Amino acid sequence: MRILITGVAGFIGSHLARYLINKGHHAIGIDNFITGNIENINDLFKTSEFEFIKLDVTNYIHVPGKIDAVLHFASPASPIDYLKYPIPTLKVGALGTHKALGLAKEKKSVFMLASTSEVYGDPLINPQHEKYWGNVNPVGPRGVYDEAKRFAEAMTMAYHRYHKMPVRIARIFNTYGPNMRLEDGRAVPNFMVQALKNKPITVYGKGKQTRSLCYVSDLIEGIYKLLMSDINEPVNLGNPHEIAILELAEIIKKITKSKSKIIFRPLPQDDPQVRRPDITLAKTKLKWQPEVSLEQGLKKTIDYF
Ligand code: UDP
């Protein structure tokens, strides 16, 4: 297949492109490097199965030739990034999704949206299943990301219903691994860098809020299975193993053999108190579930950091 990936220089986009090429597909990558990193895709330029176009996907996208799938993975995705780039975050989720859908329609290709567990906001149920509508503050600082992705899902379903286009919506829960930016600001990169430098590990709030962390290779398998499926509705992809953030800080401190102290900092506004995917749908329909344990995944990630 000839597959286009927006956000190819990002954390997940770069792993996805490499995976698809290794599976024998041809990848066309797009990025504007707002938060993407050229180093994530440097090795791919050596293969003729990779093409790159530097482009902002909120503008008109023209790509010659056939395209079998359009995977829309472009977006700032870390809370500090979408606070820094609130308007580009809204634009890539809204205008960028519209442009990517338009391209998929023109090329008669399948469209996949990288959505997020943030569509559930600060959830009132735990774990979160796909039928839950979420608890989102539209005007809070995270609203720029959450609402852009909710709009993107609505737009994707509208193209599916009105234009009868095949679509896939991956609701991606917290994922970690190599190719995250060191200064990305999310919990795993922050804690890893702080622990490895023996600097204080910054836990926000009391660290009782929970997250469920998926190693990137597991996520990529799930994305591929979803792409190859015929499920047009949202599917949760994540690891259901839920832990408190303070516990995550302690595990990272232990496995890096760090001398860091754990210190507490104010909890950011609207920080979700709990998060855990219900992956029954992915398990039953995609025959997918994560295989890499948190310890194994974190150990694989240390070298990179
Ligand atoms: N967090 C933290 N210290 C940090 C970075 C993040 O305690 O240095 C917390 C953050 O408040 C949140 C959790 O870790 O409760 C996960 O944050 P992250 O930015 O990784 O992603 P989120 O799941 O909030 O999108």
Side-chain angles (χ1 to χ4, degrees), residues 157-170:
M157 288 311 289
Y159 268 67
H160 170 60
R161 292 195 183 107
Y162 188 78
H163 293 303
K164 313 273 180 277
M165 258 175 58
V167 300
R168 312 283 179 261
I169 299 175

Side-chain angles (χ1 to χ4, degrees), residues 36-225:
N37 180 2
I38 189 83
E39 286 182 17
N40 287 346
I41 51 170
N42 263 343
D43 60 314
L44 297 180
F45 285 96
K46 289 177 203 133
T47 152
S48 56
E49 293 312 325
F50 181 67
E51 287 171 69
F52 179 76
I53 308 169
K54 184 167 185 286
L55 190 81
D56 179 343
V57 290
T58 60
N59 298 320
Y60 182 76
I61 310 173
H62 173 73
V63 181
K66 74 153 192 159
I67 295 174
D68 302 294
V70 172
L71 316 185
H72 184 36
F73 278 69
S75 179
S78 149
I80 63 159
D81 286 338
Y82 42 81
L83 293 179
K84 200 161 151 199
Y85 305 108
I87 295 166
T89 302
L90 278 159
K91 283 174 75 177
V92 73
L95 309 179
T97 301
H98 184 218
K99 295 290 181 287
L101 276 163
L103 178 71
K105 177 167 151 270
E106 165 71 23
K107 301 287 182 184
K108 298 188 172 39
S109 56
V110 55
F111 175 81
M112 178 184 262
L113 173 69
S115 188
T116 167
S117 53
E118 283 283 327
V119 299
Y120 302 121
D122 188 2
L124 303 177
I125 63 164
N126 197 38
Q128 296 81 49
H129 55 72
E130 290 86 350
K131 299 264 180 275
Y132 178 51
W133 291 354
N135 178 40
V136 171
N137 175 4
V139 294
R142 302 171 86 102
V144 298
Y145 184 64
D146 302 11
E147 295 296 4
K149 290 292 189 182
R150 289 168 69 96
F151 175 89
E153 288 198 3
M155 178 76 102
T156 302
M157 288 311 289
Y159 268 67
H160 170 60
R161 292 195 183 107
Y162 188 78
H163 293 303
K164 313 273 180 277
M165 258 175 58
V167 300
R168 312 283 179 261
I169 299 175
R171 285 194 181 148
I172 301 171
F173 283 65
N174 293 68
T175 301
Y176 67 97
N179 293 11
M180 294 182 103
R181 278 153 46 236
L182 304 195
E183 71 289 0
D184 156 299
R186 280 179 281 195
V188 170
N190 270 9
F191 294 172
M192 277 276 175
V193 171
Q194 291 161 346
L196 290 168
K197 289 183 167 169
N198 292 312
K199 297 246 173 79
I201 299 177
T202 54
V203 167
Y204 301 157
K206 295 192 172 114
K208 287 193 174 155
Q209 69 275 29
T210 68
R211 293 294 186 273
S212 308
L213 296 161
C214 187
Y215 187 65
V216 65
S217 62
D218 279 335
L219 180 84
I220 299 293
E221 294 278 344
I223 288 171
Y224 190 68
K225 286 191 168 171

